[in-house]
Amino acid sequence: MIKSFDIIKKKYRKNCDCHRRFNRMQYTGLNELREMFLSFFESKGHLRLKSFSLIPENDKSLLLINAGMSPLKSYFTGAEEPPRSRVTTCQKCIRTPDIDRVGKTARHGTYFEMLGNFSFGDYFKDDAIAWAWEFLTKVLGIPENLLWPSVYKDDDEAYAIWRDKCGVPEERIVRLGKEDNFWEHGSGPCGPCSEIYFDRGPKYGCGSPDCRPGCDCDRFMEIWNVVFSQFNNDGAGNYTELKQKNIDTGMGLERLACVMQGVDNLFEVDTVRRILDHVCEISGKKYGSAHENDVAIRVITDHIRSSVFLISDGVIPSNEGRGYVLRRIIRRAARFGKLIEIKGRFLYELCDLVINENKRAYPELAEKRDYIKRVLKAEEERFEQTLDGGLIILKSMLDGIGAEKKLSGENAFKLYDTYGFPIDLTKELCRESGIDIDENGFVLLMKEQKERARAARGGAAGWEGTNATFTAGMEKTDFVGYDALKLSYKTRVAAILSDGEPAEAISEGEGAVILEATPFYGESGGQVGDTGTITTPTAKLLVTDTKKTKNGVIIHHVTIEKGVVSVGDEALAAVCTERRDAIRRNHSAVHLLHAALRSVLGTHVEQAGSLVDEHRLRFDFKHFTAMTPDEIEKTENIVNKNILAGLAITTMETDPETAKKHGAMALFGEKYGKVVRMVKMGDVSAELCGGTHLDNTAKAGLFKIVSEAGIAAGIRRIEAVTGENVLRLIAEEKSEIAEAAKILKANSSAELVKRAQSVAAELSEAKKEIEALSVKLAAVSVSAYEAQLSDNGKFALLFADAGNDSTDRMRSSLDMLKDRHSSLVAVLYSVSPEESKIQFVAGCGKDAVKNGAHAGNILKKLSPIVGGGGGGRPDSAASGGKLPEKLPDAKKEFFSILG
């Protein structure tokens, strides 16, 4: 059963040596410690920020947030201005480099929380050290003589602060070298640090009289690290003082809880221990009774915590990136659940306890409870299917391994690529069986696969690269197309591109033109570029497409209809109104669709891409299962309801924070400037968007979903049409229905369903007749095969030509033979003369299997003779080959094996 706080407190008072010696330390729960820390630094003028998502924002150097300061890097580097010069956070973190060790020790885990207080050019060493000491000794009541600070060996300033201002005796201040007490990462800001260690007592020590922080034993546990970012490293080992000095601290919340609860490791901490105890309850295993059980219990306890937080932050199981990290830990936990005999799928139920333990600090967990459970359940179901099939195949591979005790890279890749069996699981299972893996061979095959995929996508450098040099240094084009589709004044031609090179003029063919100001929308944000015309005094240009570069230059791809256009010419620009209106209808519908999906499926839905043109809209979004017909219908109805409501569509330019206060959604991973454009549709939708829109939802006319499908793991795609395209779709479907009625000889579309049902019934009856005839034919074949049986006293043997029979027909014949002859061991084959292709099917009766016959092993020996391969179960197997002339040799080998 789950332990109460009182039981844990009693255990704490009994076991904690420091508690017996010092009554000032009081048992404190993990959730209480988090709040105490944040409140304390709020009282020191710090702004409390919510934990950032585990998915890094605008930081491609990290797969997942792995440290408390990681989301604040842009504040430290000066790339962004912090909301306040003093900040405090409790940051969710994931670290997976030691995932294989999780469970095997009680110290390793993948999920943890990091407490931190930060200064961006505000306070420095004096306050940072004093406040750390005050919090630990005054607020938490940790006895001073159990705390040992360490400083960088040359940092006399920090040493003096600890000694003179905090009153720490010199014998408890430890000077350590650069490896322990100097923080740097290549070139850039760096500096010394001061760590605070907690003395756990002699029973954890090595017995040496010189035991102190820096020793390899477990007596002194680091609980807080205060980094003084005061130097700049030029990369060559030269250090200069920074004008703006920063403070970056980190204290593991679980480690602090270990100290305050008198326990040895994170699995004993109150909120974690309750999860662990529940794992014991559902498995029927006792923690501490057997090493193998303890490993599994710890793996499940740690991994379910990580999984819940990752899913809540928008990670979906997949085969790459952070999605693969999530898939790996879910499947690892599920497998260890099977090892300790937990019945059925259990992680999706266990997540309730994780949510309840953490919802006080992270209320979004409770809000997303149903979604988190659905993702976990779906992944557990997928893994069961993968595991069952993969384990059988892996076992057969391992059974065939010789004295070298090594699984080939080819087999490991086959398990991964063909059967979806994770390489990490293959490695773990092989390691448990004492078998190595040719990892280099696996990596090489993976590399070849990626190169093939890259080649299939094509090697085009892309439009942006073609024009990057041409537009470098140009000023951003003045885009006026939100309000006007035709310039009422003359602009000028700023530049011309002909045959990929800058030109002063162009008189024929195709090229590209840049205007000082334009109403043409350049392709971006998923919206295609405009088309239309540009007219100069000497030329008329047809704009066939419009692109926008990263630096905001809008390039018009043109065909010269007549005349000559030159740099500096005055120009009139006019967008094709009909096409732009169709695009606007589709783009506004995308926003309404996004809002509707979040209403129907849940707030986890986030845009993952879009494409808007004059014909349709395409919307990609994060969701882990296919939408049901009912969900599609509900979504479509909500969009149409909001169109019919005639909601006003308004836009405003503001700063990102103000937009967020208005509820505006931003695209994840997008970098927004200081000024953003917010598009609102009544109270239904608010998004940051640079595209063109209607001024009222009613102008979208109608909305119809055409298709919904998966395009990647956890990514769905909806394609839909609006306005006149809906009418066109209805007309096409009406025509198709009429054609179908004609083919089925229905007098009208109203009779079509009845006629289709009638035809389906006729086909079903015909199928039954065909199956009956097939059984009769099989019976005839069986009689012919029985005439060829030979009995060696142990087995009834048959190696026979099945003529042109299909694989299914051969299997049916063998099933009938096995029913009649339980000692049967038979191989049937058919040969395709055109392709010189052989198909083997083998079968063994019940008694034959009991006496050692194995159909799969028989074909493993016969197939190589005819230039093929294959195998299967003891009672049934199939394989192939491509050397018909070797069939006599295969027949001889068959009787040799069994005779």
Side-chain angles (χ1 to χ4, degrees), residues 237-392:
N238 300 311
Y239 299 90
T240 54
E241 289 272 350
L242 291 171
K243 290 182 180 180
Q244 177 180 300
K245 298 177 181 179
N246 304 315
I247 289 293
D248 161 23
T249 79
M251 176 161 58
L253 177 58
E254 290 84 357
R255 280 199 182 187
L256 181 62
C258 286
V259 170
M260 297 307 297
Q261 296 177 17
V263 296
D264 287 343
N265 57 70
L266 72 93
F267 292 99
E268 298 288 333
V269 170
D270 61 337
T271 58
V272 184
R273 180 67 199 224
R274 283 193 280 276
I275 299 168
L276 182 145
D277 285 341
H278 192 64
V279 174
C280 293
E281 183 180 348
I282 62 177
S283 66
K285 308 298 181 186
K286 184 178 180 181
Y287 188 61
S289 61
H291 174 70
E292 294 78 8
N293 292 344
D294 288 354
V295 170
I297 292 166
R298 286 193 290 259
V299 166
I300 296 166
T301 301
D302 171 79
H303 287 7
I304 187 61
R305 294 176 76 221
S306 300
S307 299
V308 166
F309 279 96
L310 283 167
I311 295 168
S312 175
D313 280 353
V315 182
I316 296 175
S318 68
N319 284 333
E320 59 185 15
R322 56 183 68 95
Y324 180 70
V325 172
L326 175 59
R327 170 159 285 171
R328 184 181 177 193
I329 61 177
I330 292 175
R331 294 188 170 193
R332 193 166 188 260
R335 190 178 80 85
F336 273 98
K338 290 182 179 293
L339 292 180
I340 55 174
E341 301 175 333
I342 298 179
K343 304 299 182 185
R345 295 179 287 275
F346 66 97
L347 292 174
Y348 79 98
E349 293 178 339
L350 186 59
C351 81
D352 276 323
L353 187 55
V354 179
I355 292 170
N356 293 340
E357 290 295 328
N358 293 279
K359 65 183 180 182
R360 187 191 312 179
Y362 306 104
E364 65 272 15
L365 295 178
E367 294 168 7
K368 298 179 179 179
R369 185 189 299 266
D370 290 343
Y371 169 67
I372 295 169
K373 295 180 75 169
R374 287 166 66 189
V375 173
L376 278 167
K377 187 175 183 180
E379 185 60 19
E380 284 189 274
E381 290 172 348
R382 287 192 201 98
F383 182 55
E384 280 188 356
Q385 297 167 1
T386 299
L387 189 65
D388 292 343
L391 283 175
I392 294 172

Side-chain angles (χ1 to χ4, degrees), residues 773-783 785 809 812-813 816:
L773 288 172
S774 295
V775 170
K776 291 179 181 178
L777 288 172
V780 173
S781 298
V782 166
S783 297
Y785 291 141
R809 176 72 66 80
S812 296
S813 298
M816 293 179 69

Side-chain angles (χ1 to χ4, degrees), residues 466-472 474 494-506 511-514 555 565 567:
T466 305
N467 294 277
T469 304
F470 176 54
T471 61
M474 286 189 180
I496 293 174
L497 188 69
S498 176
D499 294 327
E501 298 294 334
E504 286 299 313
I506 185 170
V513 170
I514 296 173
I555 301 182
V565 61
V567 173

Side-chain angles (χ1 to χ4, degrees), residues 97 99-100 104 324 328 332 335 394 398 407-408 412-413 415-416 421-440 442-443:
I99 191 170
D100 291 329
K104 296 176 183 176
Y324 180 70
R328 184 181 177 193
R332 193 166 188 260
R335 190 178 80 85
L394 177 59
L398 297 183
L407 183 71
S408 70
F413 180 75
L415 277 167
Y416 172 81
F421 208 66
I423 182 61
D424 303 288
L425 187 53
T426 301
K427 287 160 64 176
E428 198 161 342
L429 291 171
C430 286
R431 192 161 46 242
E432 290 171 3
S433 302
I435 292 173
D436 292 328
I437 289 184
D438 177 15
E439 291 190 50
N440 291 334
F442 174 82
V443 171

